[in-house]
Amino acid sequence: MSGASGESSTGPADDPERVVAARDVERGVSDLYRKARSRARGLHRDIHPALTPLGFAVLRLILDEEPMRGAAIASTLGLDKAIVSRQTAILRDIGLVEALPDPEDGRATLFVSSDAAKKAFEAFRAQAQDEYRDILQSWTTEDIVTFGRLLGQFNRAIANWF
């Protein structure tokens, strides 16, 4: 982030080369987002036919961060608690999530993924990783490592920004 002088730790924010480069990043991220959304349409149904895109996002977060309280899911995904409550109820009903009492607070519920969700998501991730290997086939290993490092750095910067 920039300070009061408008300069960041790596150079002036109004440097024309930085402005053009930032514009290229914005376009690239927008294009990637569009393509990823297009590709993802329907893939969530590979996990379960009743799974919606929003339910997939909730499930994926639970799989990555479990156990989770509903409030933490809502906060992380920027959703209303009522929406999270409906989504976790659907996920429980279709056998992808289990609700457990929170041992630290008897009034709270912790959500964890079911064994069926873990198995289905493992297959989903394996397919996605195969696809990325195919997409990156013409890249050098060094370029893939650099891209992964920079993508992680970019995601951490976004997380810190919001």
Side-chain angles (χ1 to χ4, degrees):
M1 295 221 268
S2 59
S5 68
E7 293 194 18
S8 72
S9 61
T10 56
D14 62 351
D15 172 14
E17 188 175 358
R18 277 179 85 86
V19 170
V20 169
R23 188 177 316 131
D24 289 346
V25 168
E26 184 277 328
R27 285 180 183 153
V29 169
S30 292
D31 191 37
L32 178 63
Y33 179 74
R34 263 191 323 277
K35 288 175 181 165
R37 281 188 57 116
S38 176
R39 173 70 180 101
R41 281 192 185 98
L43 285 179
H44 53 277
R45 288 191 176 88
D46 289 346
I47 293 177
H48 192 283
L51 189 60
T52 65
L54 183 55
F56 177 82
V58 172
L59 176 61
R60 185 169 195 153
L61 180 62
I62 292 169
L63 280 157
D64 289 342
E65 304 290 332
E66 65 187 343
M68 289 194 80
R69 288 184 177 186
I73 296 167
S75 174
T76 302
L77 295 177
L79 299 171
D80 183 82
K81 289 180 185 178
I83 292 171
V84 170
S85 179
R86 283 192 297 274
Q87 290 301 314
T88 53
I90 292 167
L91 291 170
R92 282 193 322 258
D93 289 347
I94 62 176
L96 297 175
V97 165
E98 298 170 7
L100 307 172
D102 185 338
E104 295 178 14
D105 181 353
R107 300 167 297 165
T109 300
L110 293 174
F111 296 101
V112 297
S113 59
S114 68
D115 290 339
K118 288 178 179 116
K119 183 178 178 181
F121 210 77
E122 184 74 26
F124 177 85
R125 278 190 169 147
Q127 177 185 352
Q129 289 169 2
D130 287 347
E131 290 172 0
Y132 281 119
R133 275 193 294 276
D134 289 345
I135 291 166
L136 298 169
Q137 185 177 14
S138 65
W139 291 33
T140 67
T141 300
E142 182 180 351
D143 284 347
I144 296 169
V145 169
T146 299
F147 180 67
R149 181 180 55 77
L150 291 173
L151 190 57
Q153 182 179 337
F154 181 74
N155 283 327
R156 286 187 296 280
I158 287 175
N160 290 333
W161 183 262
F162 296 107

